[in-house]
């Protein structure tokens, strides 16, 4: 019954922007530290950005200054604004409800989550 549904992925040229959305059907959504994770072919899944129930955020070093995570608790929706995209950002991006009690730093590196979305593909060409 719990669902996380990502949208907004696509194919853009380097330097472009995309905004990903995640609609979360979780009753306790506002309690959760939420996050975006990505996995490129042949690589392990990595944390991109996380945001806790109070709006605190953490980012992977590779996306700091380019990506912004946000949430709208009235809509149970998570967002990831991605600017200045690079080919290295190409990956399947997953929305996750990580934990209701982790800090954003813990969640970013946790490698596990209570719930995962199916992913949305982001492809950046040079």
């Amino acid at each position: 019954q719990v669902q996380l549904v990502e949208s907004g992925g696509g194919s853009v040229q380097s330097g472009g922007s995309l905004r990903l959305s995640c609609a979360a059907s979780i009753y306790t959504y506002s309690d959760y530290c939420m996050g975006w994770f990505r996995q490129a072919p042949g690589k392990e899944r990595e944390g991109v950005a996380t945001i806790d129930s109070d709006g605190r955020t953490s980012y992977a070093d590779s996306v700091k200054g380019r990506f912004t995570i946000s949430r709208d608790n009235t809509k149970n929706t998570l967002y990831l604004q991605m600017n200045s995209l690079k080919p290295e950002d190409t990956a399947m991006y997953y929305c996750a409800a990580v934990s209701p009690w982790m800090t954003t730093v813990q969640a970013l590196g946790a490698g596990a989550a209570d719930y995962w979305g199916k992913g949305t593909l982001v492809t950046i060409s040079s």
Side-chain angles (χ1 to χ4, degrees), residues 2-119:
V2 173
Q3 282 191 308
L4 302 176
V5 182
E6 303 96 334
S7 62
S11 181
V12 297
Q13 289 186 281
S14 60
S17 298
L18 285 172
R19 190 174 84 146
L20 307 183
S21 298
C22 172
S25 298
I26 305 174
Y27 181 76
T28 56
Y29 169 81
S30 61
D31 296 331
Y32 266 83
C33 181
M34 302 290 295
W36 289 97
F37 298 77
R38 67 187 182 186
Q39 187 169 27
K43 296 184 178 180
E44 294 186 345
R45 185 159 52 198
E46 63 176 346
V48 176
T50 52
I51 183 167
D52 69 12
S53 59
D54 293 321
R56 302 181 189 90
T57 60
S58 290
Y59 296 92
D61 288 342
S62 60
V63 306
K64 287 180 179 177
R66 300 189 297 120
F67 291 10
T68 302
I69 188 171
S70 61
R71 65 194 296 165
D72 185 340
N73 290 344
T74 66
K75 298 180 179 179
N76 279 22
T77 302
L78 182 73
Y79 303 96
L80 184 68
Q81 179 66 47
M82 304 186 294
N83 299 326
S84 301
L85 285 162
K86 304 175 181 179
E88 303 94 278
D89 297 317
T90 295
M92 185 72 73
Y93 283 71
Y94 298 91
C95 172
V98 183
S99 172
W101 55 83
M102 282 187 182
T103 66
T104 57
V105 173
Q106 291 171 328
L108 190 67
D114 284 358
Y115 305 102
W116 293 96
K118 295 292 178 64

